[in-house]
Amino acid sequence: MRCWIERQRYLIDFTFSSLMRRRARNLMLFAVYALVVFLLGSVMLFSHAIRQEAALLLAGAPEVMVQRLVMGRHDLVPASYLETLKRFRGVQEAEGRLWGYLFDPASDANYTLMVPSARDREHRLEAGETIIGQGVASARGVDVGETLLLRSPAGEFLKLDVNDLLSSDSQIVSADLILLSEADFRRFFRLPDGVFTDLALRVSNPREINTIIEKAARTMLDARFITRRDVLSTYESVFSWREGLLLALLGTSIMAFAIFAFDKASGLSSDERREIGILKAIGWETRDVMAMKLWEGALVSLSAFVVGFLLAYAHVFLFSAGLLDPVLKGWAVIFPRFTLVPRIDGLQIATLAFFTIVPYTAATMVPIWRAATTDPDMVMR
Amino acid sequence: MIFLEGVTKVYNEGLENEIRAVRELALEIEGDKTTVLQGPSGSGKTTLLTLIGCLARPTSGRIGIEGEVVSGLPERFMTEVRRKTFGFVFQRLNLIRGLTAIENVMLPAYPLGLDHGRLHERATDLLDMLDIPNRAGTKIEHLSGGEAQRVAIARALVNDPRIVIADEPTANLDSSLTKQFLRIIERLREERRTVLLASHDPRICGADIVDRVVTMEDGTISEGGVVEGSV
Amino acid sequence: MIFHTPIMAMLLASGLSSATIVWAAGFGIRVLRHWDIESGSARQLAMERRTHLVSTALVWMMVLELASLLLFVFNADRMSVMFAGSMCAVGTLNANPFGFPALMMKTAVFFGATLWLLVHRVDLKGRDYPLTRPKYGLLIAMAPLALAAAGLQLTYFLGLHADVITSCCSRLFTAEAGSIEAELAAIDPGPALLLLFGGLAVVLGLAILTRRFERAVAVYALAAALFFVADIAATVSAISPYVYEHPHHHCPFCILKPEFSHVGYVIYLPLIAGTAFGLAAGLLPQRPPPASMKTELPRIARRYVAISAGLFAASALVALVAIARSGLVLL
């Protein structure tokens, strides 16, 4: 065992000096490798972070949302629905929610206006007060203690004192959010009392959700029920699918990279071939040479992977994935700026490794073998 | 010590440019002696060294070394035998540029996974013995021809081989360096190592340290080609 | 759902390893027909040279299969949010009928690759490569297995749709469900544990017998395979509930999760490795015994048996510790 470790140490030693001796060529390979890792890594980290944001958004969402449909379109829900729903067994709580979108020409962005739930003690607001997301704060240049001025669709102005900023553990959810009191909200959108945007249900036993929905749907014919699960799996599949599609397109770049690696590995200079011949003649076995070459691949892979991954991390989480967000976010154009909260997990890293290290190894294995089986007697000729 | 029976080596078998470099060759080489192969270029000297040194497998025939038949061994075990038994000094030296002298000397021992300190010590001792102690850390490309050859010899000796093989060792040396080389060979002989040289240099074939001269022609030993003592 | 990133990664891996093994099996056929270690012919030299590529490729494939196996389970667990009714890997795997067969095939391929490499390692020690023919025979036998695994996996992923309502471990591994999984869960913990520790005793006893009788190695290999099945059964029926401290939670996957301090890996990995060593030991003895390794071969076989038995014992010990530390009392 010790002998084996010593042997690997010698091989790594030699590999390292051999890499250094052909610095220019290996730097080139390293750069391309790191670039591929960077590209793929950016896509994965970004879409993973977005998916997590969505999951976080939904984690706080009620088990069931109830909307009313009029001519197939989402309409306001009268408060009478609340009473009906509360009568179903298993419904722990039903609450009307008020929220809506506002396009703000001043900052050229869409905001979400929302009345915090009555159960949300942390964000309780009086009339004339507001709590806003980081994105809104920076877009409008207001801070805590200052005044936010909003212009309603009817052309009236609403003056709100900024009480607080929303915490940033999920920026995509909260960045565009403006919380305000129910009175202000109804006045701002000229909404009569007794109607809500939609309703939220809390159910005591999650296993009963489907039964409750079935029963409710039979009596409330114009209502649509959306469970948290539905939304989550839609998000999951939409984002996974987009990410996957993008990666499939990037597959060509993986292909190109593999061909490049193959080419680099098979285009041994006569110098290098001779070197391998010498090693074999003086007592190295084919497998020693292969081990040496595989170490070389491992060193290059590992360093390129780490560097590419760190760059991707910086790109996504420090520079808001400037290169990608039009593709993956879709709605981002009218969204205020936000930065993603860093999130990495093992599955992501493993997958990224599969997409980069595996094709590299596959592409270089045959050339490595060819080089390693150089006849030792060539050095005598 | 070494025996060859009916050994044939064909290169590019079955192709148009097929070459029978060695044919039906039989030879015995005694241990602890210095033997020189001589003959014109293309006579098969180098191929013969290649076969004896386990660098290639004969196409047919048997080769035995120290009582063991090595001609049928797979590459892996041939390498093992080669590493344990032989030290090579190649005509073109074949040192690896970019590495230092001592690194080159240690190279054959890398796959053995020896203790680094002891290996380094052994390589230093060898360079000492060959009178180039202060060049250990110098890169190969900065050494003179004579120094480089001594590094190559040190490399050949690092695994303590019983048999040392050298191919045209003096082809690029002037007479004083040649004398120096012969002194090294003499020392190897005193250490009871078997030395096998291929050379058509009269300074070698005629040297008194040579025990036996074998003359080759067209891939086999020529008539009356084995002479005891130097010629 | 093949545009899901980890799924694409697994498809890439299985595509590569299928290609590798088909190519290697093709080479294997040539070896079976023409291998002659005595010859110095160009063909033999070329074949010997090629074996280096085959063995390196298979080492690589084994690593890939192991990684892909872990990724498969991991990803199934992660994807469970997408399927109504699923809480962990089981639900995802159960989202269509190909999930579990794919998992089993993948495990079998990983087994095969490990087995092959163990035999290969021994083969390299003999001067005339005495095990070359059986080794490549094994390789050829593995090829359809690998293709089946790749095919099942592809079918499974192609048939995966987010709108499926699946059933998860709580429903699958309950005694009333009437499937194989349910049969396993329905075994009483008493007999199951008896099977596990009794089986271990038999296996250890056989391991001691192999020190004296060479023939016992073959019996041991068979016992190792059976012990693998017994251990899995015992894990489903008894060990899992102990780990979860819940008498009706029988899921063999949840024990891989961090909530249960990944104890599943410590149970399964030694079990798999132990089985591979045991099976490899069974393949080693040759008739007639090769001259180059007359004493060496049985010695290595006995060592493999010892390693295998040790790994089995380790796996069972972990299970025992898990049971001892559990707050649940089943017996």
Side-chain angles (χ1 to χ4, degrees):
Chain A
M1 193 63 200
R2 229 196 102 204
C3 178
W4 186 87
I5 294 171
E6 277 293 325
R7 179 173 155 250
Q8 301 304 324
R9 247 194 59 195
Y10 283 121
L11 291 180
I12 295 173
D13 238 32
F14 182 80
T15 306
F16 199 71
S17 82
S18 141
L19 280 173
M20 283 301 145
R21 270 178 286 139
R22 287 176 258 278
R23 215 170 291 139
R25 206 188 79 155
N26 288 310
L27 268 181
M28 172 81 175
L29 175 64
F30 171 82
V32 175
Y33 204 149
L35 178 72
V36 170
V37 174
F38 165 76
L39 274 178
L40 298 177
S42 295
V43 172
M44 279 186 201
L45 285 176
F46 183 68
S47 63
H48 181 61
I50 282 209
R51 247 180 293 152
Q52 289 287 307
E53 298 277 352
L56 211 65
L57 164 80
L58 285 161
E63 274 102 8
V64 185
M65 277 188 299
V66 186
Q67 298 174 340
R68 189 175 148 231
L69 296 182
V70 172
M71 293 184 294
R73 297 180 63 96
H74 182 186
D75 201 12
L76 294 169
V77 192
S80 63
Y81 278 46
L82 271 178
E83 298 312 310
T84 321
L85 281 167
K86 276 181 186 159
R87 281 202 297 273
F88 285 104
R89 267 180 59 151
V91 174
Q92 194 181 18
E93 201 187 317
E95 189 187 20
R97 301 198 307 173
L98 287 169
W99 56 270
Y101 298 121
L102 174 73
F103 180 72
D104 174 34
S107 53
D108 211 14
N110 244 354
Y111 298 144
T112 305
L113 272 62
M114 192 168 141
V115 178
S117 155
R119 301 180 341 133
D120 186 357
R121 292 176 204 291
E122 201 187 329
H123 298 130
R124 176 157 301 189
L125 292 168
E126 298 298 323
E129 292 175 346
T130 184
I131 297 174
I132 58 177
Q134 312 271 357
V136 183
S138 59
R140 295 295 296 263
V142 290
D143 208 343
V144 179
E146 296 177 352
T147 312
L148 177 75
L149 198 64
L150 294 176
R151 186 162 175 257
S152 83
E156 289 158 14
F157 284 95
L158 178 67
K159 238 173 74 178
L160 296 167
D161 297 327
V162 179
N163 260 7
D164 201 359
L165 295 185
L166 287 164
S167 70
S168 58
D169 53 309
S170 161
Q171 283 219 13
I172 199 171
V173 180
S174 61
D176 70 329
L177 210 56
I178 299 176
L179 298 181
L180 67 178
S181 68
E182 183 171 345
D184 284 339
F185 187 90
R186 290 192 188 278
R187 194 152 52 85
F188 189 70
F189 284 115
R190 298 193 167 171
L191 213 59
D193 284 346
V195 292
F196 298 99
T197 314
D198 55 19
L199 308 180
L201 296 190
R202 295 204 185 262
V203 174
S204 39
N205 182 357
R207 285 172 187 277
E208 290 177 1
I209 289 178
N210 286 335
T211 337
I212 295 171
I213 291 177
E214 265 171 50
K215 273 197 271 176
R218 254 179 269 146
T219 43
M220 303 163 73
L221 295 172
D222 60 349
R224 175 164 72 173
F225 299 85
I226 301 167
T227 64
R228 178 159 64 193
R229 269 210 98 81
D230 292 338
V231 184
L232 192 60
S233 47
T234 314
Y235 267 105
E236 264 286 336
S237 49
V238 166
F239 279 115
S240 299
W241 188 82
R242 275 213 220 175
E243 177 195 7
L245 202 62
L246 198 60
L247 281 180
L249 291 176
L250 285 176
T252 39
S253 75
I254 298 178
M255 228 15 223
F257 166 62
I259 292 169
F260 175 79
F262 176 82
D263 191 56
K264 279 274 164 212
S266 40
L268 284 189
S269 60
S270 62
D271 224 31
E272 222 171 326
R273 198 171 294 279
R274 183 155 196 92
E275 199 173 298
I276 290 170
I278 295 170
L279 291 176
K280 293 197 69 178
I282 61 175
W284 287 39
E285 280 174 40
T286 301
R287 64 180 186 134
D288 294 322
V289 179
M290 285 191 85
M292 186 262 283
K293 281 280 170 190
L294 290 173
W295 273 119
E296 185 179 304
L299 287 177
V300 173
S301 289
L302 206 68
S303 51
F305 189 81
V306 169
V307 169
F309 187 78
L310 289 179
L311 286 177
Y313 183 91
H315 170 222
V316 171
F317 296 120
L318 303 181
F319 299 101
S320 306
L323 300 174
L324 288 177
D325 65 19
V327 193
L328 277 173
K329 242 186 297 171
W331 64 68
V333 196
I334 47 169
F335 227 80
R337 266 184 62 78
F338 66 91
T339 41
L340 290 165
V341 180
R343 262 180 265 267
I344 318 174
D345 75 341
L347 188 68
Q348 294 284 304
I349 296 178
T351 311
L352 185 57
F354 259 88
F355 275 118
T356 48
I357 295 178
V358 168
Y360 176 78
T361 318
T364 51
M365 187 166 299
V366 171
I368 285 178
W369 166 74
R370 260 189 224 295
T373 47
T374 306
D375 283 323
D377 60 341
M378 74 168 275
V379 296
M380 300 283 275
R381 292 177 209 156
Chain B
M1 175 69 186
I2 302 173
F3 73 85
L4 297 94
E5 291 171 8
V7 169
T8 301
K9 177 69 182 177
V10 184
Y11 286 108
N12 306 326
E13 201 177 345
L15 300 177
E16 262 176 40
N17 54 349
E18 183 178 293
I19 301 166
R20 292 190 166 261
V22 169
R23 52 185 84 189
E24 292 298 322
L25 188 143
L27 180 66
E28 234 173 284
I29 294 167
E30 286 171 68
D32 310 336
K33 297 267 170 73
T34 300
T35 305
V36 176
L37 298 176
Q38 69 163 15
S41 54
S43 60
K45 300 190 300 283
T46 300
T47 305
L48 186 58
L49 288 186
T50 308
L51 295 176
I52 293 174
C54 292
L55 286 165
R57 221 146 89 175
T59 311
S60 61
R62 278 158 41 98
I63 300 176
I65 290 161
E66 296 184 314
E68 189 190 6
V69 176
V70 295
S71 45
L73 287 181
E75 185 235 284
R76 185 184 153 100
F77 298 103
M78 271 189 48
T79 311
E80 201 181 297
V81 170
R82 177 163 78 236
R83 191 159 56 202
K84 276 196 209 143
T85 322
F86 296 98
F88 295 91
V89 181
F90 304 102
Q91 181 177 3
R92 289 172 59 187
L93 298 183
N94 286 324
L95 296 163
I96 292 180
R97 297 163 67 85
L99 294 184
T100 61
I102 195 149
E103 281 169 335
N104 264 289
V105 173
M106 286 159 68
L107 216 45
Y110 277 10
L112 298 175
L114 304 173
D115 176 68
H116 188 272
R118 272 173 49 205
L119 177 55
H120 195 272
E121 196 180 320
R122 171 155 179 75
T124 315
D125 287 351
L126 281 171
L127 290 175
D128 273 351
M129 185 192 98
L130 295 168
D131 298 326
I132 37 171
N134 46 5
R135 303 300 262 162
T138 312
K139 296 223 164 125
I140 290 304
E141 51 270 39
H142 302 139
L143 294 179
S144 72
E147 285 171 335
Q149 185 178 50
R150 272 173 287 164
V151 171
I153 296 172
R155 181 179 71 183
L157 296 176
V158 74
N159 282 341
D160 197 18
R162 294 269 301 108
I163 306 170
V164 175
I165 291 182
D167 190 18
E168 302 286 0
T170 53
N172 304 312
L173 300 183
D174 62 21
S175 50
S176 82
L177 285 175
T178 303
K179 274 190 198 132
Q180 205 170 37
F181 175 78
L182 286 171
R183 275 201 297 278
I184 294 172
I185 296 300
E186 195 173 356
R187 188 173 325 160
L188 294 181
R189 204 167 149 248
E190 283 162 10
E191 289 171 359
R192 301 182 59 80
R193 291 186 212 270
T194 308
V195 179
L196 187 56
L197 306 170
S199 178
H200 53 255
D201 184 346
R203 293 173 297 187
I204 295 268
C205 303
D208 24 314
I209 54 148
V210 171
D211 298 302
R212 202 170 182 218
V213 175
V214 176
T215 310
M216 285 189 72
E217 210 181 316
D218 289 336
T220 193
I221 314 284
S222 50
E223 289 283 325
V226 181
V227 179
E228 301 297 323
S230 56
V231 292
Chain C
M1 211 177 272
I2 52 169
F3 277 131
H4 190 71
T5 323
I7 291 183
M8 290 201 301
M10 280 181 270
L11 291 177
L12 174 75
S14 78
L16 280 172
S17 56
S18 311
T20 307
I21 195 137
V22 167
W23 161 82
F27 174 68
I29 293 172
R30 262 171 58 206
V31 167
L32 289 190
R33 285 173 49 191
H34 304 297
W35 184 262
D36 175 16
I37 195 74
E38 296 293 316
S39 154
S41 72
R43 181 166 67 192
Q44 174 65 17
L45 292 184
M47 275 203 289
E48 277 175 39
R49 209 170 286 165
R50 194 152 282 253
T51 55
H52 289 286
L53 181 57
V54 173
S55 56
T56 312
L58 278 175
V59 171
W60 184 72
M61 186 187 129
M62 187 191 79
V63 173
L64 202 60
E65 284 293 331
L66 176 62
S68 149
L69 187 64
L70 294 178
L71 196 61
F72 191 77
V73 176
F74 239 65
N75 176 61
D77 186 42
R78 190 62 60 84
M79 278 174 74
S80 59
V81 288
M82 299 169 67
F83 302 99
S86 102
M87 256 99 76
C88 70
V90 173
T92 313
L93 290 177
N94 212 35
N96 76 39
F98 297 101
F100 275 103
L103 176 68
M104 284 170 196
M105 263 318 177
K106 280 174 83 78
T107 314
V109 172
F110 170 65
F111 253 139
T114 315
L115 195 60
W116 193 87
L117 286 169
L118 287 175
V119 177
H120 172 68
R121 247 177 64 100
V122 181
D123 185 35
L124 289 187
K125 288 185 202 245
R127 293 219 148 182
D128 51 357
Y129 293 164
L131 298 170
T132 298
R133 276 166 201 279
K135 188 171 79 176
Y136 280 95
L138 179 63
L139 187 64
I140 293 167
M142 265 167 64
L145 221 61
L147 289 180
L152 280 171
Q153 179 177 286
L154 181 65
T155 325
Y156 167 61
F157 286 140
L158 282 175
L160 212 50
H161 301 291
D163 50 0
V164 169
I165 295 179
T166 171
S167 49
C168 201
C169 45
S170 57
R171 205 168 298 175
L172 201 57
F173 290 94
T174 42
E176 296 82 41
S179 57
I180 293 187
E181 295 87 350
E183 299 273 321
L184 287 180
I187 305 176
D188 277 337
L193 290 179
L194 195 67
L195 192 65
L196 172 61
F197 292 107
L200 183 67
V202 172
V203 162
L204 293 181
L206 279 172
I208 293 168
L209 276 186
T210 57
R211 311 225 139 244
R212 192 162 296 182
F213 306 102
E214 210 177 298
R215 295 260 176 125
V217 172
V219 185
Y220 181 86
L222 189 68
L226 291 175
F227 182 74
F228 179 75
V229 179
D231 197 329
I232 297 284
T235 306
V236 172
S237 83
I239 297 170
S240 303
Y242 274 115
V243 173
Y244 309 131
E245 306 195 339
H246 186 301
H248 299 298
H249 193 187
H250 288 288
C251 177
F253 292 98
C254 292
I255 54 171
L256 297 169
K257 287 187 168 187
E259 296 95 289
F260 306 105
S261 46
H262 299 294
V263 66
Y265 292 104
V266 198
I267 293 179
Y268 291 139
L269 287 181
L271 179 65
I272 291 181
T275 314
F277 269 103
L279 291 177
L283 281 177
L284 293 186
Q286 297 292 312
R287 222 143 279 287
S292 62
M293 299 183 80
K294 209 173 212 127
T295 53
E296 190 79 352
L297 218 47
R299 202 178 59 78
I300 297 174
R302 281 198 298 274
R303 207 176 65 217
Y304 275 14
V305 166
I307 294 174
S308 159
L311 287 166
F312 282 153
S315 166
L317 191 68
V318 173
L320 196 62
V321 170
I323 292 173
R325 285 178 50 183
S326 167
L328 181 74
V329 181
L330 282 179
L331 294 179

